[in-house]
Amino acid sequence: MSLSAAEDDSRSEIHIPADIDWHMLDKSKFFFLGAGLFSGVSAALYPIVVLKTRQQVSSTQISCFKMSFSIMRYEGLRGFYRGFGTSLMGTIPARALYMGALEVTKSSVGTATVSLGFSDTTATAIANAAAGLSSAMAAQLVWTPIDVVSQRLMVQGYNNSSGSKDVIPNVNSCRYRNGLDAFRKILYADGPKGLYRGFGISILTYAPSNAVWWASYSVANKLIWGGFGCSVRRKDKSGVIAGSGFRPDSKALVAVQALSAAMASGVSALITMPLDTIKTRLQVLDREENGIRKPSTILQTVRNLVKEGGLAACYRGLGPRWASMSVSATTMITTYEFLKRLSTKSQESLTS
């Protein structure tokens, strides 16, 4: 099935390259190049993730500027990359699971929905939503332990910087030398469940977030190209470019993909931000009971957030998360489409 935007009334005017399905890809090239490209993207965006995480676990509202200044002043540039090595190690297997599940689901569900008689626009939205759901669930098997370790490393330095001792009062007091040391100590203290702390809320956060994002992306993509189609038809009637078709160049394709990704990120961030804040606090903060530190519960975490600032407290870090999601999604989708075209099998391989 071709999930392109060229099946509506404007397809005679707009000629967009067909989507590349799973069977068209050279899998080894797809996963190898994908690991390298997305590792670079993760490195560029990691400082924003650190800012978001620290804002989410803070008991008071702190601006991005003040937080950034504090990190740079007390920890230097290294403070923006605490836990990055651990995160990078998890990126490769998690991305492999994510991209594999995404493409397989999108191709199979897309074919099924079209055979059931759905329109191309509806089939595309359903296929993308299902693909986002399945890919997020698959990736969380790797990402949750990586999140637990990397996020503890992110907040560890801040809690011990001078001038910020009371910002994160309930952060786990255990000191970690590096990601491997954190992994070992968490496993020793809490067992495997300690590494999968917040797994349920992670699924509840990322699965719908990905489903909403991919569905919103496909709809936004259709709407934008539809707008171009209307514009082209109006020009045809006025005789400006009568008889010619609109063939977007690579810059136009990237621009539309980027705009669609940014729009989808805004929708997804607003809907799932409270869940993401709860998830981060569950993975990082503890509660004290009879002098003994224990993992926080979802109910206790929600109560604390309500006490600290009501619904607004659930949206702490929305700015960095929205920025991170928009930049990440824009970079991801353009890189992802570029990766798919780089990994496409030769015509001889497809016909053999």
Side-chain angles (χ1 to χ4, degrees):
M1 171 196 159
S2 173
L3 299 178
S4 69
E7 282 212 3
D8 57 13
D9 293 336
S10 65
R11 67 180 171 184
S12 59
E13 292 88 12
I14 301 180
H15 305 280
I16 305 169
D19 195 23
I20 299 168
D21 286 337
W22 180 246
H23 71 278
M24 302 177 185
L25 296 172
D26 180 330
K27 308 303 185 297
S28 58
K29 186 186 290 186
F30 180 68
F31 288 121
F32 179 76
L33 291 175
L37 288 170
F38 285 112
S39 294
V41 172
S42 298
L45 298 175
Y46 196 78
I48 302 177
V49 178
V50 172
L51 280 176
K52 173 195 76 81
T53 302
R54 293 191 176 188
Q55 281 191 321
Q56 286 179 319
V57 299
S58 173
S59 58
T60 56
Q61 182 67 42
I62 302 175
S63 69
C64 292
F65 177 78
K66 186 176 180 181
M67 185 80 75
S68 301
F69 179 77
S70 177
I71 293 172
M72 184 59 73
R73 180 181 179 185
Y74 295 114
E75 303 170 62
L77 187 62
R78 184 180 178 183
F80 287 101
Y81 282 91
R82 288 188 177 274
F84 177 66
T86 302
S87 179
L88 189 61
M89 285 177 61
T91 294
I92 296 173
R95 283 293 181 188
L97 281 170
Y98 185 92
M99 292 188 295
L102 182 75
E103 286 301 319
V104 170
T105 306
K106 186 161 50 168
S107 182
S108 58
V109 173
T111 303
T113 49
V114 166
S115 66
L116 290 173
F118 288 97
S119 66
D120 183 66
T121 302
T122 304
T124 302
I126 294 172
N128 277 278
L133 194 70
S134 66
S135 59
M137 293 178 71
Q140 281 309 306
L141 293 172
V142 176
W143 269 125
T144 299
I146 296 300
D147 262 353
V148 170
V149 173
S150 62
Q151 286 174 348
R152 290 197 183 192
L153 291 171
M154 284 180 201
V155 302
Q156 177 174 260
Y158 190 64
N159 210 40
N160 290 280
S161 298
S162 61
S164 61
K165 292 178 181 177
D166 297 323
V167 174
I168 315 175
N170 295 317
V171 72
N172 191 289
S173 58
C174 188
R175 292 289 301 168
Y176 309 116
R177 294 192 300 273
N178 49 48
L180 189 61
D181 182 53
F183 181 88
R184 182 179 61 80
K185 287 179 177 177
I186 294 170
L187 195 62
Y188 177 78
D190 302 321
K193 68 177 183 180
L195 293 170
Y196 279 90
R197 192 165 162 179
F199 178 72
I201 196 72
S202 293
I203 293 293
L204 289 175
T205 300
Y206 291 119
S209 176
N210 269 265
V212 169
W213 191 93
W214 281 103
S216 301
Y217 173 77
S218 67
V219 171
N221 210 315
K222 293 275 186 181
L223 289 173
I224 294 169
W225 284 121
F228 272 116
C230 292
S231 174
V232 170
R233 283 197 294 276
R234 284 196 294 272
K235 289 181 181 178
D236 283 344
K237 289 176 182 178
S238 65
V240 176
I241 54 171
S244 65
F246 174 51
R247 292 184 178 275
D249 58 17
S250 58
K251 290 182 180 178
L253 288 171
V254 169
V256 172
Q257 288 168 355
L259 181 57
S260 301
M263 291 168 65
S265 297
V267 173
S268 183
L270 282 171
I271 292 173
T272 61
M273 186 66 202
L275 287 172
D276 188 64
T277 300
I278 294 168
K279 174 198 74 70
T280 302
R281 287 192 164 215
L282 277 174
Q283 292 177 331
V284 173
L285 302 182
D286 290 330
R287 62 190 171 93
E288 193 167 307
E289 189 175 297
N290 299 323
I292 302 173
R293 282 188 173 271
K294 294 182 178 181
S296 295
T297 64
I298 294 178
L299 186 59
Q300 186 62 50
T301 301
V302 172
R303 283 176 179 168
N304 289 340
L305 280 168
V306 171
K307 286 180 182 177
E308 290 171 17
L311 184 62
C314 295
Y315 281 87
R316 283 178 187 157
L318 176 62
R321 185 169 188 244
W322 194 331
S324 175
M325 285 184 69
S326 296
V327 175
S328 176
T330 300
T331 309
M332 182 273 292
I333 199 65
T334 52
T335 303
Y336 187 66
E337 295 294 342
F338 176 64
L339 170 64
K340 287 172 71 174
R341 301 196 184 282
L342 280 180
S343 307
T344 305
K345 293 177 182 176
S346 63
Q347 195 63 36
E348 293 78 10
S349 300
L350 289 171
T351 54
S352 61

PDB file of all heavy atoms in Angstrom, residues 46-71:
ATOM      1  N   TYR A  46      20.027  16.426  23.736  1.00  0.00           N
ATOM      2  CA  TYR A  46      20.104  15.944  25.113  1.00  0.00           C
ATOM      3  C   TYR A  46      20.056  17.059  26.167  1.00  0.00           C
ATOM      4  O   TYR A  46      19.384  16.896  27.205  1.00  0.00           O
ATOM      5  CB  TYR A  46      21.358  15.096  25.307  1.00  0.00           C
ATOM      6  CG  TYR A  46      21.327  14.269  26.560  1.00  0.00           C
ATOM      7  CD1 TYR A  46      20.591  13.089  26.616  1.00  0.00           C
ATOM      8  CD2 TYR A  46      22.024  14.657  27.698  1.00  0.00           C
ATOM      9  CE1 TYR A  46      20.546  12.324  27.760  1.00  0.00           C
ATOM     10  CE2 TYR A  46      21.997  13.892  28.860  1.00  0.00           C
ATOM     11  CZ  TYR A  46      21.260  12.728  28.878  1.00  0.00           C
ATOM     12  OH  TYR A  46      21.220  11.972  30.025  1.00  0.00           O
ATOM     13  N   PRO A  47      20.721  18.197  25.964  1.00  0.00           N
ATOM     14  CA  PRO A  47      20.643  19.269  26.981  1.00  0.00           C
ATOM     15  C   PRO A  47      19.217  19.720  27.269  1.00  0.00           C
ATOM     16  O   PRO A  47      18.877  20.049  28.411  1.00  0.00           O
ATOM     17  CB  PRO A  47      21.467  20.402  26.349  1.00  0.00           C
ATOM     18  CG  PRO A  47      22.451  19.696  25.477  1.00  0.00           C
ATOM     19  CD  PRO A  47      21.696  18.543  24.897  1.00  0.00           C
ATOM     20  N   ILE A  48      18.343  19.729  26.258  1.00  0.00           N
ATOM     21  CA  ILE A  48      16.946  20.128  26.470  1.00  0.00           C
ATOM     22  C   ILE A  48      16.236  19.092  27.337  1.00  0.00           C
ATOM     23  O   ILE A  48      15.395  19.434  28.181  1.00  0.00           O
ATOM     24  CB  ILE A  48      16.217  20.284  25.120  1.00  0.00           C
ATOM     25  CG1 ILE A  48      16.927  21.318  24.247  1.00  0.00           C
ATOM     26  CG2 ILE A  48      14.769  20.713  25.341  1.00  0.00           C
ATOM     27  CD1 ILE A  48      16.314  21.477  22.871  1.00  0.00           C
ATOM     28  N   VAL A  49      16.579  17.821  27.153  1.00  0.00           N
ATOM     29  CA  VAL A  49      15.978  16.752  27.952  1.00  0.00           C
ATOM     30  C   VAL A  49      16.385  16.901  29.422  1.00  0.00           C
ATOM     31  O   VAL A  49      15.577  16.685  30.324  1.00  0.00           O
ATOM     32  CB  VAL A  49      16.399  15.364  27.416  1.00  0.00           C
ATOM     33  CG1 VAL A  49      15.818  14.247  28.284  1.00  0.00           C
ATOM     34  CG2 VAL A  49      15.934  15.185  25.973  1.00  0.00           C
ATOM     35  N   VAL A  50      17.645  17.266  29.655  1.00  0.00           N
ATOM     36  CA  VAL A  50      18.127  17.488  31.029  1.00  0.00           C
ATOM     37  C   VAL A  50      17.347  18.625  31.688  1.00  0.00           C
ATOM     38  O   VAL A  50      16.916  18.519  32.839  1.00  0.00           O
ATOM     39  CB  VAL A  50      19.642  17.790  31.031  1.00  0.00           C
ATOM     40  CG1 VAL A  50      20.106  18.213  32.421  1.00  0.00           C
ATOM     41  CG2 VAL A  50      20.434  16.579  30.571  1.00  0.00           C
ATOM     42  N   LEU A  51      17.153  19.717  30.957  1.00  0.00           N
ATOM     43  CA  LEU A  51      16.377  20.849  31.485  1.00  0.00           C
ATOM     44  C   LEU A  51      14.954  20.423  31.834  1.00  0.00           C
ATOM     45  O   LEU A  51      14.435  20.746  32.914  1.00  0.00           O
ATOM     46  CB  LEU A  51      16.327  21.978  30.453  1.00  0.00           C
ATOM     47  CG  LEU A  51      17.540  22.903  30.343  1.00  0.00           C
ATOM     48  CD1 LEU A  51      17.336  23.884  29.194  1.00  0.00           C
ATOM     49  CD2 LEU A  51      17.776  23.659  31.641  1.00  0.00           C
ATOM     50  N   LYS A  52      14.311  19.706  30.928  1.00  0.00           N
ATOM     51  CA  LYS A  52      12.932  19.251  31.158  1.00  0.00           C
ATOM     52  C   LYS A  52      12.842  18.373  32.403  1.00  0.00           C
ATOM     53  O   LYS A  52      11.964  18.552  33.245  1.00  0.00           O
ATOM     54  CB  LYS A  52      12.442  18.463  29.935  1.00  0.00           C
ATOM     55  CG  LYS A  52      11.082  17.801  30.126  1.00  0.00           C
ATOM     56  CD  LYS A  52      10.802  16.766  29.061  1.00  0.00           C
ATOM     57  CE  LYS A  52      11.559  15.484  29.282  1.00  0.00           C
ATOM     58  NZ  LYS A  52      10.948  14.573  30.275  1.00  0.00           N
ATOM     59  N   THR A  53      13.769  17.431  32.530  1.00  0.00           N
ATOM     60  CA  THR A  53      13.751  16.492  33.645  1.00  0.00           C
ATOM     61  C   THR A  53      13.923  17.210  34.976  1.00  0.00           C
ATOM     62  O   THR A  53      13.202  16.942  35.949  1.00  0.00           O
ATOM     63  CB  THR A  53      14.854  15.433  33.472  1.00  0.00           C
ATOM     64  OG1 THR A  53      14.654  14.743  32.237  1.00  0.00           O
ATOM     65  CG2 THR A  53      14.839  14.430  34.612  1.00  0.00           C
ATOM     66  N   ARG A  54      14.853  18.152  35.035  1.00  0.00           N
ATOM     67  CA  ARG A  54      15.090  18.869  36.285  1.00  0.00           C
ATOM     68  C   ARG A  54      13.922  19.777  36.652  1.00  0.00           C
ATOM     69  O   ARG A  54      13.599  19.955  37.830  1.00  0.00           O
ATOM     70  CB  ARG A  54      16.391  19.660  36.192  1.00  0.00           C
ATOM     71  CG  ARG A  54      17.604  18.741  36.116  1.00  0.00           C
ATOM     72  CD  ARG A  54      18.903  19.497  36.303  1.00  0.00           C
ATOM     73  NE  ARG A  54      20.046  18.597  36.315  1.00  0.00           N
ATOM     74  CZ  ARG A  54      21.291  18.967  36.605  1.00  0.00           C
ATOM     75  NH1 ARG A  54      21.534  20.230  36.913  1.00  0.00           N
ATOM     76  NH2 ARG A  54      22.276  18.095  36.592  1.00  0.00           N
ATOM     77  N   GLN A  55      13.280  20.347  35.652  1.00  0.00           N
ATOM     78  CA  GLN A  55      12.102  21.167  35.939  1.00  0.00           C
ATOM     79  C   GLN A  55      10.955  20.310  36.464  1.00  0.00           C
ATOM     80  O   GLN A  55      10.222  20.716  37.358  1.00  0.00           O
ATOM     81  CB  GLN A  55      11.649  21.907  34.668  1.00  0.00           C
ATOM     82  CG  GLN A  55      12.476  23.142  34.359  1.00  0.00           C
ATOM     83  CD  GLN A  55      11.834  23.988  33.277  1.00  0.00           C
ATOM     84  OE1 GLN A  55      11.281  23.487  32.312  1.00  0.00           O
ATOM     85  NE2 GLN A  55      11.908  25.296  33.421  1.00  0.00           N
ATOM     86  N   GLN A  56      10.801  19.125  35.920  1.00  0.00           N
ATOM     87  CA  GLN A  56       9.702  18.255  36.318  1.00  0.00           C
ATOM     88  C   GLN A  56       9.823  17.758  37.754  1.00  0.00           C
ATOM     89  O   GLN A  56       8.814  17.591  38.444  1.00  0.00           O
ATOM     90  CB  GLN A  56       9.603  17.054  35.363  1.00  0.00           C
ATOM     91  CG  GLN A  56       9.033  17.411  34.004  1.00  0.00           C
ATOM     92  CD  GLN A  56       8.978  16.220  33.075  1.00  0.00           C
ATOM     93  OE1 GLN A  56       9.902  15.418  33.023  1.00  0.00           O
ATOM     94  NE2 GLN A  56       7.894  16.089  32.339  1.00  0.00           N
ATOM     95  N   VAL A  57      11.049  17.501  38.212  1.00  0.00           N
ATOM     96  CA  VAL A  57      11.219  16.983  39.569  1.00  0.00           C
ATOM     97  C   VAL A  57      11.406  18.087  40.604  1.00  0.00           C
ATOM     98  O   VAL A  57      11.402  17.826  41.806  1.00  0.00           O
ATOM     99  CB  VAL A  57      12.415  15.999  39.649  1.00  0.00           C
ATOM    100  CG1 VAL A  57      12.197  14.814  38.743  1.00  0.00           C
ATOM    101  CG2 VAL A  57      13.723  16.696  39.320  1.00  0.00           C
ATOM    102  N   SER A  58      11.553  19.328  40.148  1.00  0.00           N
ATOM    103  CA  SER A  58      11.700  20.451  41.071  1.00  0.00           C
ATOM    104  C   SER A  58      10.386  20.715  41.795  1.00  0.00           C
ATOM    105  O   SER A  58       9.304  20.611  41.225  1.00  0.00           O
ATOM    106  CB  SER A  58      12.126  21.702  40.295  1.00  0.00           C
ATOM    107  OG  SER A  58      12.110  22.830  41.137  1.00  0.00           O
ATOM    108  N   SER A  59      10.483  21.054  43.086  1.00  0.00           N
ATOM    109  CA  SER A  59       9.281  21.330  43.878  1.00  0.00           C
ATOM    110  C   SER A  59       8.787  22.756  43.696  1.00  0.00           C
ATOM    111  O   SER A  59       7.731  23.122  44.194  1.00  0.00           O
ATOM    112  CB  SER A  59       9.569  21.075  45.367  1.00  0.00           C
ATOM    113  OG  SER A  59      10.644  21.892  45.804  1.00  0.00           O
ATOM    114  N   THR A  60       9.565  23.582  42.988  1.00  0.00           N
ATOM    115  CA  THR A  60       9.159  24.963  42.700  1.00  0.00           C
ATOM    116  C   THR A  60       9.341  25.245  41.214  1.00  0.00           C
ATOM    117  O   THR A  60      10.113  24.567  40.532  1.00  0.00           O
ATOM    118  CB  THR A  60      10.013  25.971  43.502  1.00  0.00           C
ATOM    119  OG1 THR A  60      11.404  25.755  43.209  1.00  0.00           O
ATOM    120  CG2 THR A  60       9.783  25.823  44.986  1.00  0.00           C
ATOM    121  N   GLN A  61       8.634  26.246  40.728  1.00  0.00           N
ATOM    122  CA  GLN A  61       8.726  26.627  39.324  1.00  0.00           C
ATOM    123  C   GLN A  61      10.030  27.383  39.078  1.00  0.00           C
ATOM    124  O   GLN A  61      10.304  28.394  39.727  1.00  0.00           O
ATOM    125  CB  GLN A  61       7.532  27.502  38.929  1.00  0.00           C
ATOM    126  CG  GLN A  61       7.514  27.912  37.465  1.00  0.00           C
ATOM    127  CD  GLN A  61       7.303  26.731  36.535  1.00  0.00           C
ATOM    128  OE1 GLN A  61       6.477  25.863  36.803  1.00  0.00           O
ATOM    129  NE2 GLN A  61       8.059  26.680  35.459  1.00  0.00           N
ATOM    130  N   ILE A  62      10.838  26.896  38.168  1.00  0.00           N
ATOM    131  CA  ILE A  62      12.106  27.542  37.835  1.00  0.00           C
ATOM    132  C   ILE A  62      12.158  27.727  36.328  1.00  0.00           C
ATOM    133  O   ILE A  62      11.879  26.787  35.561  1.00  0.00           O
ATOM    134  CB  ILE A  62      13.315  26.697  38.292  1.00  0.00           C
ATOM    135  CG1 ILE A  62      13.249  26.463  39.803  1.00  0.00           C
ATOM    136  CG2 ILE A  62      14.630  27.373  37.923  1.00  0.00           C
ATOM    137  CD1 ILE A  62      14.325  25.539  40.323  1.00  0.00           C
ATOM    138  N   SER A  63      12.521  28.912  35.875  1.00  0.00           N
ATOM    139  CA  SER A  63      12.547  29.194  34.450  1.00  0.00           C
ATOM    140  C   SER A  63      13.681  28.439  33.762  1.00  0.00           C
ATOM    141  O   SER A  63      14.665  28.058  34.394  1.00  0.00           O
ATOM    142  CB  SER A  63      12.719  30.694  34.202  1.00  0.00           C
ATOM    143  OG  SER A  63      14.020  31.110  34.591  1.00  0.00           O
ATOM    144  N   CYS A  64      13.528  28.232  32.460  1.00  0.00           N
ATOM    145  CA  CYS A  64      14.567  27.543  31.683  1.00  0.00           C
ATOM    146  C   CYS A  64      15.887  28.308  31.738  1.00  0.00           C
ATOM    147  O   CYS A  64      16.958  27.707  31.847  1.00  0.00           O
ATOM    148  CB  CYS A  64      14.119  27.392  30.223  1.00  0.00           C
ATOM    149  SG  CYS A  64      12.744  26.273  29.982  1.00  0.00           S
ATOM    150  N   PHE A  65      15.794  29.649  31.668  1.00  0.00           N
ATOM    151  CA  PHE A  65      17.002  30.465  31.682  1.00  0.00           C
ATOM    152  C   PHE A  65      17.755  30.316  33.003  1.00  0.00           C
ATOM    153  O   PHE A  65      18.968  30.125  33.032  1.00  0.00           O
ATOM    154  CB  PHE A  65      16.645  31.946  31.453  1.00  0.00           C
ATOM    155  CG  PHE A  65      17.827  32.862  31.523  1.00  0.00           C
ATOM    156  CD1 PHE A  65      18.710  32.976  30.456  1.00  0.00           C
ATOM    157  CD2 PHE A  65      18.077  33.611  32.675  1.00  0.00           C
ATOM    158  CE1 PHE A  65      19.813  33.827  30.528  1.00  0.00           C
ATOM    159  CE2 PHE A  65      19.164  34.457  32.756  1.00  0.00           C
ATOM    160  CZ  PHE A  65      20.038  34.563  31.674  1.00  0.00           C
ATOM    161  N   LYS A  66      17.011  30.399  34.110  1.00  0.00           N
ATOM    162  CA  LYS A  66      17.637  30.282  35.437  1.00  0.00           C
ATOM    163  C   LYS A  66      18.229  28.888  35.639  1.00  0.00           C
ATOM    164  O   LYS A  66      19.329  28.740  36.188  1.00  0.00           O
ATOM    165  CB  LYS A  66      16.601  30.573  36.519  1.00  0.00           C
ATOM    166  CG  LYS A  66      17.177  30.619  37.932  1.00  0.00           C
ATOM    167  CD  LYS A  66      16.114  31.003  38.953  1.00  0.00           C
ATOM    168  CE  LYS A  66      16.703  31.039  40.357  1.00  0.00           C
ATOM    169  NZ  LYS A  66      15.673  31.388  41.370  1.00  0.00           N
ATOM    170  N   MET A  67      17.503  27.875  35.170  1.00  0.00           N
ATOM    171  CA  MET A  67      17.996  26.506  35.289  1.00  0.00           C
ATOM    172  C   MET A  67      19.271  26.313  34.467  1.00  0.00           C
ATOM    173  O   MET A  67      20.247  25.723  34.929  1.00  0.00           O
ATOM    174  CB  MET A  67      16.917  25.529  34.809  1.00  0.00           C
ATOM    175  CG  MET A  67      17.250  24.063  34.998  1.00  0.00           C
ATOM    176  SD  MET A  67      16.982  23.485  36.690  1.00  0.00           S
ATOM    177  CE  MET A  67      15.200  23.376  36.760  1.00  0.00           C
ATOM    178  N   SER A  68      19.270  26.823  33.233  1.00  0.00           N
ATOM    179  CA  SER A  68      20.437  26.698  32.357  1.00  0.00           C
ATOM    180  C   SER A  68      21.645  27.426  32.947  1.00  0.00           C
ATOM    181  O   SER A  68      22.774  26.908  32.934  1.00  0.00           O
ATOM    182  CB  SER A  68      20.124  27.276  30.974  1.00  0.00           C
ATOM    183  OG  SER A  68      19.041  26.612  30.382  1.00  0.00           O
ATOM    184  N   PHE A  69      21.405  28.627  33.485  1.00  0.00           N
ATOM    185  CA  PHE A  69      22.482  29.411  34.087  1.00  0.00           C
ATOM    186  C   PHE A  69      23.082  28.678  35.281  1.00  0.00           C
ATOM    187  O   PHE A  69      24.308  28.646  35.467  1.00  0.00           O
ATOM    188  CB  PHE A  69      21.943  30.777  34.518  1.00  0.00           C
ATOM    189  CG  PHE A  69      22.968  31.661  35.169  1.00  0.00           C
ATOM    190  CD1 PHE A  69      23.916  32.335  34.406  1.00  0.00           C
ATOM    191  CD2 PHE A  69      23.009  31.808  36.558  1.00  0.00           C
ATOM    192  CE1 PHE A  69      24.880  33.135  35.010  1.00  0.00           C
ATOM    193  CE2 PHE A  69      23.961  32.606  37.163  1.00  0.00           C
ATOM    194  CZ  PHE A  69      24.900  33.276  36.383  1.00  0.00           C
ATOM    195  N   SER A  70      22.205  28.076  36.105  1.00  0.00           N
ATOM    196  CA  SER A  70      22.665  27.355  37.288  1.00  0.00           C
ATOM    197  C   SER A  70      23.517  26.145  36.910  1.00  0.00           C
ATOM    198  O   SER A  70      24.562  25.888  37.521  1.00  0.00           O
ATOM    199  CB  SER A  70      21.458  26.910  38.115  1.00  0.00           C
ATOM    200  OG  SER A  70      21.863  26.158  39.234  1.00  0.00           O
ATOM    201  N   ILE A  71      23.070  25.408  35.903  1.00  0.00           N
ATOM    202  CA  ILE A  71      23.834  24.230  35.458  1.00  0.00           C
ATOM    203  C   ILE A  71      25.203  24.654  34.938  1.00  0.00           C
ATOM    204  O   ILE A  71      26.235  24.072  35.295  1.00  0.00           O
ATOM    205  CB  ILE A  71      23.066  23.461  34.364  1.00  0.00           C
ATOM    206  CG1 ILE A  71      21.786  22.846  34.942  1.00  0.00           C
ATOM    207  CG2 ILE A  71      23.936  22.357  33.763  1.00  0.00           C
ATOM    208  CD1 ILE A  71      20.875  22.224  33.892  1.00  0.00           C
TER     209      ILE A  71
END
